[in-house]
Amino acid sequence: MDFKSQLNINEVPNHIAIIMDGNGRWAKSHNKPRVFGHKKGVVSVRNVVEGAGEIGVKYLTLYAFSTENWNRPKVEVAALMQLLVATISNEVSSLNKNNVRLLTIGDLKSLPGNCERELEKAKEKTKNNTGLSLVLALSYSSKSEIVRAVKKIANDVVKNEVKIDAINDNLINDYLDTANVPSPELLIRTSGEYRLSNFLLWQIAYSELYFTNKYWPDFTKEDLFEAVFDYQNRERRFGLTSEQIKN
Ligand code: IPE
Ligand code: IPE
Ligand code: MG
C-alpha cells in the first residue's frame, strides 16, 4: 500500500519524535558486529529526514544517544562517537541543500570535544534554514534534562528573577532543552520494545505513541508514512468526549 498518497497533507504532525532502536539486533541477525548496524542506521536517518521533509513535518527529533548509553562497552561508545562526527561533517552540505536546520538536545558538553565542536559548527552553518528542524538527542535523558531545568529555575528564584507563583507549564517548558520546540504529536519506537527509555517524558504528555517491530536499519520512508497514516486515523481527545471533539 502506498501510504504517502493516502495522507491528509493538512493533518501531518508538526513534530515527530523517534526512538531509533534495534541497530545491534539488526546487525546480529545479519551476523555482523553491532557497529555495522549503527552504520546502516545512518542510512535510515537520511531516508527518514528526507521523508519527513517531503510531507511537511516541521520538527523531527531523533534519539541518537542516551545518557544511559555511556555505560555500553567502551569500544561501542567510541565507535558511535566516531560515526557521529563523520556523519555530521559529511551531511552538513546536504542539510543545507535540503533547507534543514540542525538542533540538539542533551548535555553536549559530555561528548568528546571533537563531537561537540562538529555539532556546534553544523548548527551554526544550518541555523538560517527554514525547512525541517532536525533535533538530535545526544547524551540525552529526560530525567537529566528535567534536573538541569529545575536547577536553573531554582537559581533564578534565588536571584529573584523568577517568582515562585510564576512557575507553570509554560515556564517549565522554557527551561527545558526543547524550549523552542513544540511538543511532538507523534512518537515512534522501532524494534518491538514498548518503553520510553527516558525520552522526552515531559514533552510527550499527550503524544500519540506508535510502535513497530522493524529494527531501525530496516525502517524506511514508507514506514514513516505508514506511522503518520496510522496517526491520522486516531481521535485525539485531550480529556474531552468524542462528541465534544466532533462538534
Ligand atoms: C539503537 O540501537 C542505537 C543506540 C541506542 C545508540 P541499539 O544499539 O540499542 O540496538 P539494540 O537495541 O541493541 O538492538
Ligand atoms: C534508547 O535505546 C536510546 C536510543 C535509541 C538512543 P536503548 O536501546 O538504549 O534503550 P533500552 O536500553 O533498550 O531501554
Ligand atoms: Mg536498543
Side-chain angles (χ1 to χ4, degrees):
M1 185 147 125
D2 170 24
F3 289 101
K4 190 180 178 189
S5 64
Q6 308 224 63
L7 294 180
N8 174 352
I9 226 65
N10 301 314
E11 302 271 341
V12 169
N14 199 33
H15 182 179
I16 299 177
I18 308 183
I19 302 175
M20 311 183 287
D21 197 16
N23 294 350
R25 281 164 285 163
W26 182 89
K28 197 170 181 192
S29 73
H30 289 77
N31 291 313
K32 302 276 189 191
R34 291 179 60 84
V35 178
F36 189 78
H38 296 313
K39 287 192 179 145
K40 189 75 183 1
V42 174
V43 179
S44 299
V45 170
R46 210 173 286 134
N47 292 334
V48 165
V49 169
E50 208 177 277
E54 282 172 23
I55 58 171
V57 172
K58 296 301 289 175
Y59 293 86
L60 177 69
T61 299
L62 301 178
Y63 203 6
F65 193 83
S66 73
T67 54
E68 288 80 11
N69 290 150
W70 289 115
N71 299 320
R72 290 194 177 187
K74 274 198 175 63
V75 281
E76 182 168 347
V77 172
L80 279 166
M81 292 302 142
Q82 228 216 306
L83 186 61
L84 178 64
V85 177
T87 306
I88 297 296
S89 59
N90 279 337
E91 299 292 321
V92 174
S93 61
S94 86
L95 293 178
N96 276 330
K97 203 173 75 204
N98 296 311
N99 199 19
V100 177
R101 175 174 68 145
L102 182 72
L103 303 172
T104 56
I105 57 173
D107 181 16
L108 283 207
K109 290 197 174 48
S110 64
L111 297 173
N114 61 335
C115 287
E116 193 194 347
R117 281 190 298 278
E118 210 55 60
L119 283 161
E120 294 300 348
K121 261 200 293 187
K123 286 199 278 188
E124 181 60 30
K125 284 186 184 158
T126 61
K127 72 175 181 202
N128 294 321
N129 293 338
T130 54
L132 177 75
S133 292
L134 171 62
V135 185
L136 290 185
L138 288 164
S139 193
Y140 176 87
S141 85
S142 190
K143 286 190 175 180
S144 66
E145 175 193 34
I146 291 170
V147 168
R148 281 187 280 111
V150 169
K151 284 184 184 166
K152 280 188 268 174
I153 294 171
N155 210 25
D156 287 350
V157 168
V158 170
K159 288 193 290 184
N160 234 339
E161 284 169 13
V162 169
K163 297 265 172 290
I164 287 184
D165 282 346
I167 299 176
N168 59 19
D169 269 28
N170 289 334
L171 183 127
I172 293 174
N173 264 322
D174 290 345
Y175 279 82
L176 293 170
D177 295 352
T178 49
N180 298 309
V181 177
S183 293
E185 290 89 348
L186 174 62
L187 172 78
I188 299 171
R189 183 171 188 146
T190 60
S191 89
E193 304 297 353
Y194 298 85
R195 57 177 171 265
L196 299 172
S197 303
N198 217 346
F199 189 46
L200 300 178
L201 302 179
W202 170 275
Q203 296 86 344
I204 59 163
Y206 256 112
S207 304
E208 296 297 326
L209 309 183
Y210 180 89
F211 297 95
T212 166
N213 286 331
K214 279 208 178 177
Y215 293 141
W216 178 249
D218 286 328
F219 193 84
T220 63
K221 263 189 214 184
E222 195 53 29
D223 293 316
L224 177 76
F225 302 149
E226 181 172 3
V228 173
F229 181 76
D230 189 273
Y231 162 87
Q232 291 189 339
N233 287 291
R234 299 180 187 190
E235 183 180 62
R236 305 185 75 202
R237 288 192 287 279
F238 300 99
L240 304 184
T241 67
S242 190
E243 290 67 28
Q244 283 176 297
I245 300 291
K246 287 187 179 103
N247 295 326

